[in-house]
Amino acid sequence: MGNLRVLHSNHIGYFKYISTKKSWEIALTDGSFVRLKGNLRAKNLCAYNDRFIQIHQSYIINIQYLCMIQNNHCIMYPPFHHIYELCISQKYKRELTAYFYQF
């Protein structure tokens, strides 16, 4: 039996898809990462909480940590302010921008 960990959405900054492992990884506010088991899809993760929005095929962010959108990159609030890999693809930019202004 594997380990089970319950996470609150406030502790999740973003999800990153690891293609070599074919799984999603969660970046937590304490700086740690948790790999998700199972065959989860991005739509399943986004459906978990309305704060989770996909920005790229490989990234889903918690919009409560989004400070600004600058040059197709997400600038996040601490503790994720040092993360520069959160690029926004054209496919998701319009939805993200609309949702950001509503939030």
Side-chain angles (χ1 to χ4, degrees):
M1 183 131 181
N3 295 331
L4 180 63
R5 186 170 176 181
V6 177
L7 298 172
H8 191 277
S9 62
N10 288 340
H11 298 142
I12 298 171
Y14 64 93
F15 298 86
K16 178 180 179 178
Y17 187 73
I18 309 298
S19 59
T20 56
K21 297 180 181 178
K22 296 185 180 182
S23 65
W24 288 92
E25 185 176 76
I26 305 171
L28 299 174
T29 55
D30 67 2
S32 66
F33 292 87
V34 175
R35 190 160 43 110
L36 296 174
K37 304 230 184 229
N39 191 13
L40 292 172
R41 297 183 181 266
K43 67 179 181 179
N44 300 114
L45 296 173
C46 290
Y48 173 71
N49 191 302
D50 63 349
R51 293 180 180 170
F52 299 150
I53 186 161
Q54 191 163 9
I55 62 165
H56 186 275
Q57 184 177 351
S58 300
Y59 292 100
I60 297 169
I61 63 166
N62 183 339
I63 200 153
Q64 82 178 35
Y65 288 105
L66 180 60
C67 177
M68 68 186 329
I69 298 169
Q70 183 179 55
N71 299 328
N72 293 330
H73 282 80
C74 292
I75 308 300
M76 306 292 274
Y77 284 114
F80 303 104
H81 60 285
H82 64 283
I83 306 298
Y84 299 107
E85 63 186 284
L86 300 174
C87 298
I88 306 163
S89 70
Q90 286 297 102
K91 180 178 179 179
Y92 300 103
K93 188 173 183 177
R94 181 180 297 168
E95 182 183 352
L96 172 64
T97 304
Y99 195 72
F100 181 60
Y101 289 129
Q102 290 176 8
F103 193 76

